[in-house]
Amino acid sequence: MTHLRQLMLDELQRRNYSPNTVRSYVHSVEEFAQYFRRSPEQLGPDHIREYQVHLFRDRKLSPRTIEGRTAALRFLFVKMLRRPYLPDAIPFPKQHKRLPTVLSQEEVSRLIDATGNLMHRAMVMTLYATGVRRAELCMLKVADIDSGRMVLHIRQGKGGHSHLLEYVRRFNWTWAHRIDTYSTGRQLTSKTPSN
């Protein structure tokens, strides 16, 4: 492990970056150095510009992926190497905003009804009813559901933040009957009580 790599790891951890971000930043800087076959300490803004063009033109990476690589290079050059670059010297690529695909009620019902078991059904309904992220869903516990106030307590979500999410009554019915339905073998359908 090089001295610069170890310093970067220490600094990322000291700033409490998530393990995924640390892994991504270190990998991005390693690829940058390998592309030029030189230490990043010997490289500058012209090399960054050339590398970004390479990522777009030759590797055909998406703007979002290149944005992550650029954030890693900004961290390296500005925070670690203390180079006084202006943001224009290490620009983020422009991203096109895409509109989300909105499903009809029938499509949502078919998606929910297509689940193979009660746990998958509860997961799909939770994702749809609350908009939580996949990782947040995986960390969700039954104790995080406040059925009286109809809120979910999301603990340590993206960026380590915790927050509360409101949900609809139909979702409350699904979770309230989850254990009973699982133990008796009855199946839930998307046609739940309306009250």
Side-chain angles (χ1 to χ4, degrees):
M1 179 179 297
T2 67
H3 179 67
L4 180 61
R5 185 178 193 273
Q6 185 58 53
L7 284 175
M8 186 171 176
L9 273 171
D10 293 344
E11 186 64 19
L12 287 164
Q13 290 168 349
R14 186 176 76 87
R15 292 171 183 257
N16 200 27
Y17 279 56
S18 76
N20 286 340
T21 302
V22 171
R23 195 170 24 259
S24 174
Y25 275 27
V26 170
H27 178 72
S28 295
V29 170
E30 284 174 350
E31 280 194 352
F32 176 67
Q34 287 171 1
Y35 178 75
F36 290 104
R37 295 190 178 112
R38 290 169 34 193
S39 168
E41 295 169 295
Q42 301 170 355
L43 304 172
D46 292 336
H47 296 99
I48 295 170
R49 193 172 299 112
E50 180 183 335
Y51 185 65
Q52 284 180 319
V53 169
H54 160 72
L55 294 176
F56 268 115
R57 189 181 303 149
D58 303 332
R59 301 267 315 269
K60 302 201 183 321
L61 298 179
S62 72
R64 183 171 298 276
T65 302
I66 295 172
E67 181 179 351
R69 307 270 172 106
T70 302
L73 296 177
R74 276 190 178 189
F75 183 88
L76 171 73
F77 284 100
V78 177
K79 305 289 186 197
M80 297 300 307
L81 299 177
R82 306 263 187 233
R83 305 253 178 103
Y85 295 145
L86 297 173
D88 290 343
I90 311 176
F92 285 115
K94 180 181 177 184
Q95 291 193 36
H96 300 286
K97 294 188 178 180
R98 296 182 308 191
L99 293 174
T101 301
V102 179
L103 301 178
S104 69
Q105 286 184 338
E106 294 81 26
E107 290 171 318
V108 172
S109 291
R110 282 198 313 262
L111 180 66
I112 292 169
D113 288 341
T115 55
N117 61 48
L118 184 60
M119 180 52 94
H120 292 158
R121 176 182 206 78
M123 291 170 70
V124 170
M125 290 185 80
T126 303
L127 288 169
Y128 185 74
T130 64
V132 296
R133 292 176 175 87
R134 178 191 49 83
E136 293 170 341
L137 175 69
C138 292
M139 293 175 43
L140 196 61
K141 295 180 178 25
V142 175
D144 295 331
I145 302 169
D146 183 344
S147 57
R149 294 177 17 204
M150 295 179 62
V151 294
L152 286 180
H153 190 176
I154 304 300
R155 300 176 196 282
Q156 300 296 307
K158 186 171 173 95
H161 301 289
S162 296
H163 56 279
L164 296 174
L165 287 175
E166 293 183 29
Y167 61 84
V168 295
R169 180 169 292 149
R170 178 174 163 164
F171 173 73
N172 201 24
W173 185 89
T174 300
W175 273 100
H177 291 80
R178 177 182 167 267
I179 296 171
D180 178 53
T181 305
Y182 184 74
S183 63
T184 61
R186 290 179 295 153
Q187 290 188 350
L188 293 175
T189 67
S190 60
K191 297 169 180 63
T192 55
S194 58
N195 53 358

